[in-house]
Amino acid sequence: YGVFSWGGRRSGCADMRKPDYTLIVTTEPGKGPELTAPVPSADLERPSRRAEFTAYSTAFCAIGIPPMAHVIGPLWALEIGATPMLFGLAMGARSFFPFLFSIHGGALIDQFGVRQVMTFCALVGAALMVAFPALPSIVALIVLQMITGFLYTVGWIGAQTQITQLTGGAPKYMGRF
């Protein structure tokens, strides 16, 4: 029987040396070690307000702005005179980069940190929404749809990761999220 802890928080908790999870390993005669599911550490403190706000606001941007783009995008495509084929291509383009680069987005989060990547994605994605009317062409619409679709997907993944790391999956905070 053994208890091991691993992981430090890079995403904004007050004490970054405390482990995220505790892993319990048991062995029985004649059998190899068995790993239990990770359980949240009992001494998990409340996340900082700043880190909590970052996760909530990024989640709001990541799931609040795309529905507006789903309404505005088709209207903008009609305004600039897109053919039905280009219209469909522009609306489907939003999912193309997330499909191709979702693993790369996770690698970015691992490399640069959850908070930095998700904040960057939320801010750049919100700023790019201004570029839609500034670039009145169907090619620009398709490219902007691909870029913002990827940014919001990575931002949402980052927000989910950060809130889980900060709270250890505590139902109180996950419910708020």
Side-chain angles (χ1 to χ4, degrees), residues 57-83:
S57 60
T58 302
F60 175 76
C61 285
I63 63 173
I65 293 177
M68 290 186 281
H70 292 313
V71 173
I72 294 170
L75 294 174
W76 187 243
L78 289 174
E79 179 69 25
I80 57 180
T83 64

Side-chain angles (χ1 to χ4, degrees), residues 9-14 16 47-58 108-123 154-155 157-163 165-166:
R9 292 190 189 84
R10 294 177 55 190
S11 50
C13 252
M16 304 208 14
S48 71
R49 293 272 185 198
R50 179 179 172 205
E52 197 175 1
F53 175 76
T54 304
Y56 294 153
S57 60
T58 302
L108 282 173
I109 289 172
D110 291 340
Q111 179 69 30
F112 297 110
V114 176
R115 189 171 59 199
Q116 291 80 9
V117 172
M118 74 174 192
T119 303
F120 172 81
C121 288
L123 293 175
V154 173
I157 292 168
Q160 290 175 331
T161 302
Q162 184 175 22
I163 201 69
Q165 286 177 350
L166 288 173

Side-chain angles (χ1 to χ4, degrees), residues 126-149:
L128 281 178
M129 294 309 280
V130 176
F132 279 89
L135 301 169
S137 100
I138 191 65
V139 174
L141 177 64
I142 292 170
V143 170
L144 286 170
Q145 286 280 76
M146 287 192 296
I147 293 170
T148 57

